Coordinates of all heavy atoms in Angstrom, one line a residue:
M1 N 317.7 23.4 124.5 CA 318.8 22.6 124.7 C 319.6 23.1 125.8 O 319.9 24.3 125.9 CB 319.7 22.5 123.4 CG 320.9 21.7 123.5 SD 321.8 21.5 122.0 CE 321.1 20.1 121.3
N2 N 320.1 22.3 126.7 CA 320.9 22.7 127.9 C 322.3 22.2 127.7 O 322.6 21.5 126.7 CB 320.3 22.4 129.2 CG 320.1 20.9 129.3 OD1 320.9 20.1 128.8 ND2 319.1 20.5 130.1
T3 N 323.2 22.5 128.7 CA 324.6 22.1 128.6 C 324.7 20.6 128.5 O 325.6 20.1 127.7 CB 325.3 22.7 129.8 OG1 325.2 24.1 129.9 CG2 326.8 22.4 129.7
S4 N 324.0 19.9 129.3 CA 324.1 18.4 129.2 C 323.7 17.8 127.9 O 324.4 16.9 127.4 CB 323.2 17.8 130.3 OG 323.6 18.1 131.6
E5 N 322.6 18.3 127.3 CA 322.2 17.9 126.0 C 323.2 18.2 124.9 O 323.5 17.5 124.0 CB 320.8 18.5 125.6 CG 319.7 18.0 126.5 CD 318.4 18.7 126.4 OE1 318.4 19.9 125.8 OE2 317.4 18.2 126.8
L6 N 323.8 19.4 125.0 CA 324.8 19.9 124.1 C 326.1 19.0 124.2 O 326.7 18.6 123.3 CB 325.2 21.3 124.3 CG 326.1 22.0 123.4 CD1 325.6 21.9 121.9 CD2 326.4 23.4 123.8
A7 N 326.4 18.7 125.5 CA 327.6 17.8 125.7 C 327.4 16.4 125.2 O 328.3 15.8 124.6 CB 327.9 17.8 127.2
D8 N 326.1 15.9 125.3 CA 325.8 14.6 124.8 C 326.0 14.6 123.3 O 326.5 13.6 122.7 CB 324.4 14.2 125.2 CG 324.2 13.9 126.7 OD1 325.2 13.7 127.4 OD2 323.0 13.9 127.1
Q9 N 325.5 15.6 122.6 CA 325.6 15.7 121.2 C 327.1 15.8 120.7 O 327.5 15.1 119.8 CB 324.8 16.8 120.6 CG 324.7 16.9 119.1 CD 323.8 18.0 118.6 OE1 323.0 18.5 119.3 NE2 323.9 18.2 117.3
L10 N 327.8 16.6 121.4 CA 329.2 16.8 121.1 C 330.0 15.5 121.3 O 330.8 15.1 120.5 CB 329.8 17.9 122.0 CG 331.3 18.2 121.8 CD1 331.6 18.7 120.3 CD2 331.8 19.3 122.8
A11 N 329.7 14.8 122.4 CA 330.4 13.5 122.7 C 330.0 12.5 121.6 O 330.9 11.8 121.1 CB 329.9 13.0 124.0
A12 N 328.8 12.4 121.2 CA 328.4 11.4 120.2 C 329.0 11.7 118.8 O 329.5 10.8 118.1 CB 326.9 11.4 120.0
E13 N 329.1 13.0 118.4 CA 329.6 13.4 117.1 C 331.1 13.3 117.0 O 331.7 13.1 116.0 CB 329.1 14.7 116.7 CG 327.6 14.7 116.4 CD 327.1 16.1 115.9 OE1 327.9 17.0 115.6 OE2 325.9 16.3 115.9
Q14 N 331.8 13.6 118.2 CA 333.3 13.7 118.1 C 334.0 12.5 118.8 O 335.2 12.5 118.9 CB 333.7 15.0 118.8 CG 333.2 16.2 118.1 CD 333.8 16.3 116.7 OE1 334.9 16.1 116.5 NE2 332.9 16.7 115.8
G15 N 333.2 11.5 119.3 CA 333.8 10.3 119.9 C 334.4 10.6 121.2 O 335.4 10.0 121.6
L16 N 333.9 11.6 122.0 CA 334.4 12.0 123.3 C 333.6 11.4 124.4 O 332.5 10.9 124.1 CB 334.4 13.5 123.4 CG 335.2 14.3 122.4 CD1 334.9 15.8 122.6 CD2 336.7 14.1 122.5
T17 N 334.1 11.4 125.6 CA 333.3 11.0 126.7 C 332.4 12.2 127.1 O 332.7 13.3 126.7 CB 334.2 10.6 128.0 OG1 334.9 11.8 128.4 CG2 335.1 9.5 127.7
K18 N 331.3 11.9 127.7 CA 330.4 13.0 128.1 C 331.1 14.0 129.0 O 330.9 15.2 128.9 CB 329.1 12.5 128.7 CG 328.3 11.8 127.7 CD 327.0 11.3 128.4 CE 326.2 10.5 127.4 NZ 324.9 10.0 128.0
A19 N 332.0 13.5 129.9 CA 332.7 14.4 130.8 C 333.7 15.3 130.0 O 333.8 16.5 130.3 CB 333.4 13.6 131.9
A20 N 334.4 14.8 129.1 CA 335.3 15.5 128.3 C 334.6 16.6 127.4 O 335.0 17.7 127.3 CB 336.1 14.6 127.4
A21 N 333.4 16.2 126.9 CA 332.6 17.1 126.1 C 332.1 18.3 126.9 O 332.1 19.4 126.5 CB 331.4 16.4 125.4
K22 N 331.6 17.9 128.1 CA 331.1 19.0 129.0 C 332.3 19.9 129.4 O 332.1 21.1 129.5 CB 330.5 18.4 130.3 CG 329.8 19.4 131.1 CD 328.9 18.7 132.2 CE 328.2 19.8 133.0 NZ 327.3 19.2 134.0
Q23 N 333.4 19.4 129.7 CA 334.6 20.2 130.0 C 335.0 21.1 128.9 O 335.3 22.3 129.1 CB 335.8 19.3 130.4 CG 337.0 20.1 130.9 CD 336.8 20.9 132.1 OE1 336.1 20.5 133.0 NE2 337.3 22.1 132.1
A24 N 334.9 20.6 127.7 CA 335.2 21.5 126.5 C 334.2 22.6 126.4 O 334.6 23.8 126.1 CB 335.2 20.6 125.2
I25 N 332.9 22.3 126.6 CA 331.9 23.4 126.5 C 332.2 24.4 127.6 O 332.1 25.7 127.4 CB 330.5 22.8 126.6 CG1 330.2 22.0 125.4 CG2 329.5 23.9 126.8 CD1 329.0 21.1 125.5
E26 N 332.5 24.0 128.8 CA 332.7 24.9 129.9 C 334.0 25.8 129.7 O 334.0 26.9 130.0 CB 332.9 24.1 131.2 CG 331.6 23.6 131.7 CD 331.7 22.7 132.9 OE1 332.8 22.4 133.4 OE2 330.7 22.2 133.4
T27 N 335.0 25.2 129.0 CA 336.2 25.9 128.7 C 335.9 27.0 127.7 O 336.4 28.1 127.8 CB 337.3 25.0 128.1 OG1 337.6 24.0 129.1 CG2 338.5 25.7 127.7
V28 N 335.1 26.7 126.7 CA 334.7 27.7 125.7 C 333.9 28.9 126.3 O 334.2 30.0 126.1 CB 333.9 27.1 124.5 CG1 333.3 28.1 123.6 CG2 334.8 26.1 123.7
V29 N 333.0 28.5 127.1 CA 332.1 29.5 127.8 C 333.0 30.4 128.7 O 332.9 31.6 128.7 CB 331.0 28.9 128.6 CG1 330.3 29.9 129.5 CG2 330.0 28.2 127.7
T30 N 333.9 29.8 129.5 CA 334.8 30.6 130.3 C 335.7 31.5 129.5 O 335.9 32.6 129.9 CB 335.7 29.6 131.2 OG1 334.8 28.8 131.9 CG2 336.6 30.4 132.1
A31 N 336.2 31.0 128.4 CA 337.0 31.9 127.5 C 336.3 33.1 127.0 O 336.8 34.2 126.9 CB 337.6 31.1 126.4
I32 N 335.0 32.9 126.6 CA 334.1 34.0 126.2 C 333.9 35.0 127.3 O 334.0 36.2 127.1 CB 332.8 33.4 125.6 CG1 333.1 32.7 124.3 CG2 331.8 34.5 125.4 CD1 331.9 31.9 123.8
I33 N 333.6 34.5 128.5 CA 333.4 35.4 129.6 C 334.6 36.2 130.0 O 334.6 37.4 130.2 CB 332.9 34.6 130.9 CG1 331.5 34.0 130.6 CG2 332.9 35.4 132.1 CD1 331.0 33.0 131.6
N34 N 335.8 35.5 130.0 CA 337.1 36.2 130.3 C 337.4 37.3 129.2 O 337.8 38.4 129.6 CB 338.2 35.2 130.4 CG 338.1 34.3 131.6 OD1 337.4 34.7 132.6 ND2 338.8 33.2 131.6
A35 N 337.1 37.0 128.0 CA 337.4 38.0 126.9 C 336.4 39.1 127.0 O 336.8 40.3 126.9 CB 337.3 37.3 125.5
A36 N 335.2 38.8 127.3 CA 334.2 39.9 127.5 C 334.5 40.8 128.7 O 334.3 42.0 128.7 CB 332.8 39.3 127.6
T37 N 335.0 40.2 129.8 CA 335.3 40.9 131.0 C 336.4 41.9 130.7 O 336.5 43.0 131.2 CB 335.8 39.9 132.1 OG1 334.8 39.0 132.4 CG2 336.1 40.7 133.4
Q38 N 337.3 41.6 129.8 CA 338.4 42.5 129.4 C 338.0 43.5 128.3 O 338.8 44.3 127.9 CB 339.6 41.7 128.8 CG 340.2 40.8 129.9 CD 341.3 39.9 129.3 OE1 341.6 40.0 128.2 NE2 341.8 39.0 130.2
G39 N 336.7 43.4 127.9 CA 336.2 44.3 126.9 C 336.4 43.9 125.5 O 336.2 44.7 124.5
D40 N 336.9 42.7 125.2 CA 337.2 42.3 123.9 C 335.9 41.8 123.2 O 335.0 41.4 123.8 CB 338.1 41.1 123.9 CG 339.5 41.4 124.4 OD1 339.9 42.6 124.3 OD2 340.2 40.5 124.8
E41 N 335.9 42.0 121.8 CA 334.8 41.4 121.0 C 335.2 40.0 120.6 O 336.3 39.7 120.2 CB 334.6 42.3 119.8 CG 333.5 41.9 118.9 CD 333.2 42.8 117.8 OE1 332.7 43.9 118.0 OE2 333.6 42.4 116.6
I42 N 334.2 39.1 120.8 CA 334.5 37.7 120.5 C 333.7 37.4 119.2 O 332.5 37.6 119.0 CB 333.9 36.8 121.6 CG1 334.6 37.1 122.9 CG2 334.2 35.3 121.2 CD1 333.8 38.0 123.8
S43 N 334.5 36.9 118.2 CA 333.9 36.5 116.9 C 334.1 35.0 116.6 O 335.2 34.6 116.6 CB 334.5 37.4 115.8 OG 334.0 37.0 114.6
L44 N 332.9 34.3 116.5 CA 333.0 32.9 116.1 C 332.5 32.8 114.7 O 331.3 33.0 114.4 CB 332.1 32.1 117.1 CG 332.4 32.2 118.6 CD1 331.4 31.5 119.4 CD2 333.8 31.6 118.8
S45 N 333.4 32.5 113.8 CA 333.1 32.4 112.4 C 331.9 31.5 112.1 O 331.9 30.4 112.6 CB 334.3 32.0 111.6 OG 334.1 31.9 110.2
G46 N 331.0 31.9 111.4 CA 329.8 31.1 111.0 C 328.7 31.1 112.1 O 327.7 30.6 111.9
F47 N 329.0 31.7 113.3 CA 328.0 31.7 114.4 C 327.6 33.1 114.7 O 326.4 33.4 114.8 CB 328.6 31.0 115.6 CG 327.6 30.9 116.7 CD1 326.5 30.1 116.6 CD2 327.7 31.7 117.9 CE1 325.5 30.0 117.7 CE2 326.8 31.6 118.9 CZ 325.7 30.8 118.8
G48 N 328.6 34.0 115.0 CA 328.3 35.4 115.3 C 329.3 36.1 116.1 O 330.4 35.6 116.3
K49 N 328.9 37.3 116.6 CA 329.8 38.1 117.4 C 329.2 38.4 118.8 O 328.0 38.5 118.9 CB 330.1 39.4 116.7 CG 330.9 39.3 115.5 CD 331.2 40.7 114.9 CE 332.0 40.6 113.6 NZ 332.3 41.9 113.1
F50 N 330.1 38.4 119.8 CA 329.6 38.8 121.1 C 330.4 40.1 121.5 O 331.6 40.1 121.3 CB 330.0 37.7 122.2 CG 329.2 36.4 121.9 CD1 329.8 35.4 121.2 CD2 328.0 36.3 122.5 CE1 329.1 34.2 121.0 CE2 327.3 35.1 122.3 CZ 327.9 34.1 121.5
K51 N 329.8 41.1 122.1 CA 330.5 42.2 122.6 C 329.7 42.8 123.8 O 328.5 42.6 124.0 CB 330.7 43.3 121.5 CG 329.4 43.9 121.0 CD 329.7 44.9 119.9 CE 328.4 45.5 119.4 NZ 328.7 46.5 118.4
V52 N 330.5 43.5 124.6 CA 330.0 44.1 125.8 C 329.4 45.5 125.4 O 330.0 46.3 124.8 CB 331.1 44.3 126.9 CG1 330.5 45.0 128.1 CG2 331.7 42.9 127.2
T53 N 328.2 45.7 125.9 CA 327.5 47.0 125.7 C 327.2 47.6 127.1 O 327.0 46.8 128.0 CB 326.3 47.0 124.9 OG1 325.4 46.0 125.5 CG2 326.6 46.5 123.5
S54 N 327.2 48.9 127.2 CA 326.9 49.6 128.5 C 325.6 50.3 128.4 O 325.2 50.8 127.4 CB 328.0 50.6 128.8 OG 329.3 50.0 128.9
R55 N 324.9 50.3 129.6 CA 323.7 51.0 129.7 C 323.9 52.1 130.8 O 324.4 51.8 131.9 CB 322.6 50.1 130.1 CG 322.3 49.1 129.0 CD 321.0 48.3 129.3 NE 319.9 49.3 129.1 CZ 318.6 48.9 129.2 NH1 318.3 47.7 129.5 NH2 317.7 49.8 129.1
E56 N 323.5 53.3 130.5 CA 323.6 54.4 131.4 C 322.7 54.2 132.6 O 321.6 53.5 132.5 CB 323.4 55.7 130.7 CG 324.3 56.0 129.6 CD 325.7 56.3 130.1 OE1 325.9 56.8 131.2 OE2 326.6 55.9 129.3
A57 N 323.0 54.9 133.7 CA 322.0 54.9 134.8 C 320.8 55.7 134.4 O 320.9 56.6 133.6 CB 322.7 55.6 136.1
R58 N 319.6 55.3 134.9 CA 318.4 55.9 134.5 C 317.4 55.9 135.6 O 317.5 55.1 136.5 CB 317.9 55.3 133.2 CG 317.5 53.9 133.3 CD 317.4 53.2 131.9 NE 316.8 51.9 132.0 CZ 317.5 50.8 132.3 NH1 318.8 50.9 132.5 NH2 316.9 49.6 132.3
E59 N 316.3 56.6 135.4 CA 315.2 56.6 136.3 C 314.1 55.7 135.8 O 313.8 55.8 134.6 CB 314.7 58.0 136.5 CG 313.8 58.2 137.7 CD 313.4 59.6 137.9 OE1 314.2 60.3 138.6 OE2 312.4 60.1 137.4
G60 N 313.5 54.9 136.7 CA 312.4 54.0 136.3 C 311.3 54.2 137.3 O 311.3 55.0 138.2
R61 N 310.3 53.3 137.2 CA 309.2 53.3 138.1 C 308.9 51.9 138.6 O 309.0 51.0 137.8 CB 307.9 53.9 137.4 CG 308.0 55.3 137.1 CD 306.6 55.9 136.8 NE 306.6 57.3 136.5 CZ 306.5 58.2 137.5 NH1 306.3 57.9 138.7 NH2 306.5 59.5 137.2
N62 N 308.6 51.8 139.8 CA 308.1 50.5 140.4 C 306.7 50.2 139.8 O 305.8 51.0 140.1 CB 308.1 50.6 141.9 CG 307.7 49.3 142.6 OD1 307.0 48.5 142.0 ND2 308.2 49.1 143.8
P63 N 306.5 49.1 139.1 CA 305.2 48.9 138.5 C 304.1 48.7 139.6 O 303.0 48.9 139.3 CB 305.4 47.7 137.6 CG 306.7 47.1 138.1 CD 307.5 48.1 138.7
A64 N 304.5 48.2 140.7 CA 303.5 47.9 141.7 C 303.0 49.2 142.4 O 301.8 49.4 142.7 CB 304.0 46.9 142.8
T65 N 303.9 50.1 142.7 CA 303.6 51.3 143.5 C 303.6 52.6 142.7 O 303.0 53.6 143.1 CB 304.5 51.5 144.7 OG1 305.8 51.7 144.2 CG2 304.5 50.3 145.6
G66 N 304.3 52.6 141.6 CA 304.4 53.8 140.7 C 305.5 54.7 141.2 O 305.7 55.8 140.7
A67 N 306.2 54.3 142.3 CA 307.3 55.2 142.9 C 308.5 55.2 141.9 O 308.8 54.2 141.3 CB 307.7 54.6 144.2
K68 N 309.1 56.4 141.9 CA 310.3 56.5 141.1 C 311.5 55.8 141.7 O 311.6 55.8 143.0 CB 310.7 58.0 140.9 CG 309.7 58.7 140.0 CD 310.2 60.2 139.9 CE 309.2 60.9 139.0 NZ 309.6 62.3 138.8
I69 N 312.3 55.1 140.9 CA 313.4 54.4 141.4 C 314.6 54.7 140.5 O 314.4 55.0 139.3 CB 313.2 52.8 141.5 CG1 312.9 52.2 140.2 CG2 312.2 52.5 142.6 CD1 312.8 50.7 140.1
K70 N 315.8 54.6 141.0 CA 317.0 54.7 140.2 C 317.5 53.3 139.8 O 317.6 52.4 140.6 CB 318.1 55.4 141.0 CG 317.8 56.9 141.3 CD 319.0 57.6 142.0 CE 318.7 59.0 142.2 NZ 319.8 59.7 142.8
I71 N 317.8 53.2 138.5 CA 318.3 52.0 137.9 C 319.8 52.2 137.7 O 320.1 53.2 136.9 CB 317.5 51.6 136.7 CG1 316.1 51.4 137.0 CG2 318.1 50.3 136.1 CD1 315.2 51.2 135.7
A72 N 320.6 51.4 138.3 CA 322.1 51.6 138.2 C 322.6 51.3 136.8 O 321.9 50.6 136.0 CB 322.8 50.7 139.2
A73 N 323.7 51.9 136.4 CA 324.3 51.7 135.1 C 324.8 50.2 135.2 O 325.1 49.6 136.2 CB 325.6 52.6 135.0
S74 N 324.8 49.6 134.0 CA 325.2 48.2 133.9 C 325.8 47.8 132.6 O 325.7 48.6 131.6 CB 323.9 47.3 134.1 OG 323.0 47.5 133.1
K75 N 326.4 46.7 132.5 CA 327.0 46.2 131.3 C 326.3 44.9 130.9 O 325.8 44.1 131.8 CB 328.5 45.9 131.4 CG 329.2 47.2 131.6 CD 330.7 46.9 131.7 CE 331.5 48.2 131.9 NZ 332.9 47.9 132.0
K76 N 326.2 44.6 129.6 CA 325.6 43.3 129.2 C 326.4 42.8 128.0 O 327.0 43.5 127.3 CB 324.1 43.4 128.9 CG 323.8 44.2 127.7 CD 322.3 44.1 127.4 CE 322.1 44.7 126.0 NZ 320.8 44.4 125.5
L77 N 326.3 41.5 127.8 CA 326.9 40.9 126.7 C 325.8 40.7 125.6 O 324.8 40.1 125.8 CB 327.4 39.5 127.1 CG 328.3 38.8 126.0 CD1 329.5 39.5 125.7 CD2 328.6 37.4 126.5
S78 N 326.1 41.4 124.5 CA 325.1 41.3 123.4 C 325.7 40.4 122.3 O 326.9 40.3 122.1 CB 324.7 42.7 122.9 OG 325.8 43.3 122.3
S79 N 324.8 39.9 121.5 CA 325.3 39.0 120.4 C 324.6 39.4 119.1 O 323.5 39.9 119.1 CB 325.0 37.5 120.7 OG 323.6 37.3 120.8
T80 N 325.4 39.2 118.0 CA 324.9 39.5 116.7 C 325.1 38.2 115.9 O 326.3 37.8 115.7 CB 325.6 40.6 116.0 OG1 325.5 41.8 116.9 CG2 325.1 41.0 114.7
P81 N 324.1 37.6 115.4 CA 324.2 36.4 114.6 C 324.9 36.6 113.3 O 324.8 37.6 112.6 CB 322.8 35.8 114.4 CG 322.0 37.0 114.5 CD 322.7 38.0 115.4
A82 N 325.6 35.6 112.8 CA 326.3 35.6 111.5 C 325.2 35.4 110.4 O 324.1 34.9 110.7 CB 327.3 34.5 111.4
K83 N 325.6 35.7 109.2 CA 324.6 35.6 108.1 C 324.1 34.2 108.0 O 323.0 33.9 107.7 CB 325.3 36.1 106.8 CG 324.3 36.0 105.6 CD 324.9 36.6 104.4 CE 324.0 36.7 103.2 NZ 323.0 35.6 103.0
A84 N 325.0 33.2 108.2 CA 324.6 31.8 108.0 C 323.5 31.4 109.1 O 322.6 30.7 108.7 CB 325.8 30.9 108.2
V85 N 323.6 32.0 110.3 CA 322.6 31.7 111.3 C 321.3 32.4 110.9 O 320.3 31.8 111.0 CB 323.1 32.2 112.7 CG1 322.1 32.0 113.7 CG2 324.4 31.4 113.1
K86 N 321.4 33.6 110.5 CA 320.2 34.3 110.1 C 319.5 33.6 108.9 O 318.2 33.4 109.0 CB 320.5 35.7 109.6 CG 320.9 36.7 110.7 CD 321.2 38.0 110.1 CE 321.8 39.0 111.0 NZ 322.1 40.3 110.4
D87 N 320.3 33.1 108.0 CA 319.7 32.4 106.8 C 319.0 31.1 107.3 O 318.0 30.7 106.8 CB 320.7 32.1 105.8 CG 321.1 33.4 105.1 OD1 320.4 34.5 105.2 OD2 322.2 33.4 104.4
A88 N 319.7 30.4 108.2 CA 319.1 29.1 108.7 C 317.8 29.4 109.5 O 316.9 28.6 109.4 CB 320.1 28.4 109.6
L89 N 317.7 30.5 110.2 CA 316.5 30.8 111.0 C 315.4 31.3 110.1 O 314.2 31.2 110.4 CB 316.8 31.8 112.1 CG 317.8 31.3 113.2 CD1 318.1 32.4 114.1 CD2 317.1 30.2 114.0
N90 N 315.8 32.0 109.1 CA 314.8 32.6 108.2 C 315.0 32.2 106.7 O 315.5 33.0 105.9 CB 314.9 34.2 108.3 CG 314.7 34.7 109.7 OD1 313.6 34.5 110.3 ND2 315.7 35.3 110.3
P91 N 314.7 31.0 106.4 CA 314.9 30.5 105.0 C 314.1 31.3 104.0 O 313.0 31.8 104.3 CB 314.5 29.1 105.0 CG 313.6 28.9 106.2 CD 314.0 30.0 107.2
A92 N 314.7 31.5 102.9 CA 314.0 32.3 101.8 C 312.8 31.5 101.4 O 312.9 30.2 101.2 CB 314.9 32.6 100.7
P93 N 311.7 32.1 101.1 CA 310.5 31.3 100.6 C 310.8 30.8 99.3 O 311.4 31.4 98.4 CB 309.4 32.4 100.6 CG 310.0 33.7 100.6 CD 311.4 33.5 101.3
K94 N 310.3 29.6 99.1 CA 310.5 28.9 97.8 C 309.6 29.6 96.7 O 308.4 29.8 97.0 CB 310.2 27.4 97.8 CG 311.3 26.7 98.7 CD 311.0 25.2 98.7 CE 312.0 24.5 99.5 NZ 311.7 23.1 99.6
K95 N 310.1 29.8 95.6 CA 309.3 30.4 94.5 C 308.5 29.3 93.9 O 309.0 28.2 93.6 CB 310.1 31.1 93.5 CG 310.8 32.3 94.0 CD 311.6 33.0 92.9 CE 312.4 34.2 93.5 NZ 313.2 34.9 92.5
P96 N 307.2 29.5 93.6 CA 306.4 28.5 93.0 C 306.9 28.2 91.6 O 307.4 29.2 90.9 CB 305.0 29.0 93.0 CG 305.1 30.5 93.2 CD 306.4 30.7 93.9
A97 N 306.8 27.0 91.1 CA 307.2 26.7 89.8 C 306.3 27.4 88.8 O 305.1 27.5 89.0 CB 307.2 25.2 89.5
P98 N 306.9 27.9 87.7 CA 306.0 28.6 86.7 C 305.0 27.7 86.2 O 305.2 26.5 85.9 CB 306.9 29.1 85.7 CG 308.2 28.4 85.9 CD 308.2 27.8 87.3
R99 N 303.7 28.2 86.0 CA 302.7 27.4 85.5 C 302.8 27.3 84.0 O 303.1 28.2 83.3 CB 301.3 28.0 85.8 CG 300.9 27.9 87.2 CD 299.6 28.4 87.4 NE 299.0 28.1 88.7 CZ 297.8 28.4 89.1 NH1 297.0 29.2 88.3 NH2 297.4 28.1 90.3
K100 N 302.5 26.1 83.5 CA 302.5 25.9 82.0 C 301.1 26.2 81.6 O 300.1 25.8 82.2 CB 302.9 24.5 81.7 CG 304.3 24.2 82.0 CD 304.6 22.8 81.5 CE 306.1 22.4 81.8 NZ 306.4 21.1 81.4
K101 N 301.0 26.9 80.5 CA 299.7 27.3 80.0 C 299.1 26.0 79.3 O 299.8 25.4 78.5 CB 299.8 28.4 79.0 CG 300.1 29.7 79.7 CD 300.0 30.8 78.7 CE 300.4 32.2 79.4 NZ 300.3 33.3 78.4
A102 N 297.9 25.7 79.6 CA 297.3 24.5 79.0 C 296.9 24.9 77.6 O 296.4 26.0 77.3 CB 296.0 24.2 79.8
A103 N 297.2 23.9 76.7 CA 296.9 24.2 75.3 C 295.4 24.0 75.1 O 294.7 23.1 75.6 CB 297.6 23.1 74.4
T104 N 294.8 25.1 74.6 CA 293.3 25.0 74.4 C 293.1 25.0 72.9 O 293.6 25.8 72.1 CB 292.7 26.3 75.0 OG1 293.3 27.4 74.4 CG2 292.8 26.3 76.5
K105 N 292.2 24.1 72.5 CA 291.9 23.9 71.1 C 290.4 24.2 71.0 O 289.6 23.6 71.8 CB 292.1 22.5 70.6 CG 293.6 22.2 70.5 CD 293.8 20.9 69.9 CE 295.3 20.6 69.8 NZ 295.6 19.3 69.3
A106 N 290.1 25.1 70.2 CA 288.6 25.4 70.0 C 288.0 24.4 69.0 O 288.6 24.1 68.0 CB 288.5 26.8 69.4
K107 N 286.9 23.9 69.4 CA 286.2 23.0 68.5 C 285.6 23.7 67.4 O 284.9 24.8 67.6 CB 285.1 22.3 69.3 CG 285.7 21.3 70.3 CD 284.5 20.5 71.0 CE 285.0 19.6 72.0 NZ 283.9 18.8 72.6
K108 N 285.7 23.2 66.2 CA 285.1 23.8 65.1 C 283.9 23.0 64.7 O 283.9 21.8 64.7 CB 286.1 23.8 63.9 CG 287.3 24.7 64.1 CD 288.1 24.8 62.9 CE 289.3 25.7 63.1 NZ 290.2 25.7 61.9
K109 N 282.8 23.8 64.4 CA 281.6 23.1 64.1 C 281.3 23.3 62.6 O 281.5 24.2 62.0 CB 280.4 23.6 64.9 CG 280.6 23.2 66.3 CD 279.4 23.7 67.1 CE 279.5 23.3 68.6 NZ 278.4 23.7 69.3

């Protein structure tokens, strides 16, 4: 799903124009980016948390030549899904219904 498809769904469910729905999505994304830039943790109840993590500078190798290269330190936005999201993605397996024992009658001769 991309931004346009998400905006279409939001517009249909909330009675908005597609332009207004797209603007709302862009506003939310911008707010998340601005909060992350300031180092804040963003928590969306029922969806998950976003936070900035840092990676130290390290040494790597160019896979084509095998030459050593320096990889600069960087920051990234990591996310942790909420329990509701985890449960939706990984539903618990259904337990089979208990079997009823068939009544067996021995024939008498």
Side-chain angles (χ1 to χ4, degrees):
M1 178 177 271
N2 60 30
T3 305
S4 295
E5 294 168 341
L6 186 60
D8 290 344
Q9 185 174 348
L10 180 62
E13 290 182 13
Q14 297 299 316
L16 302 171
T17 64
K18 289 181 183 180
K22 189 170 184 177
Q23 182 62 38
I25 292 168
E26 289 173 359
T27 301
V28 170
V29 171
T30 301
I32 291 171
I33 291 170
N34 290 339
T37 301
Q38 295 174 4
D40 294 339
E41 183 176 284
I42 301 96
S43 179
L44 301 175
S45 181
F47 184 71
K49 292 181 181 181
F50 296 94
K51 66 180 178 179
V52 177
T53 57
S54 298
R55 296 192 68 177
E56 299 292 327
R58 61 194 189 281
E59 190 174 274
R61 292 194 176 270
N62 180 334
T65 63
K68 291 182 181 181
I69 58 172
K70 289 186 178 183
I71 301 171
S74 62
K75 293 181 181 180
K76 69 174 191 162
L77 188 63
S78 62
S79 63
T80 304
K83 184 176 184 322
V85 174
K86 288 180 188 178
D87 291 345
L89 294 173
N90 302 298
K94 292 182 180 178
K95 293 182 181 177
R99 289 183 166 181
K100 293 183 180 179
K101 291 186 180 180
T104 55
K105 294 183 179 179
K107 290 184 180 181
K108 294 183 180 181
K109 292 185 182 181

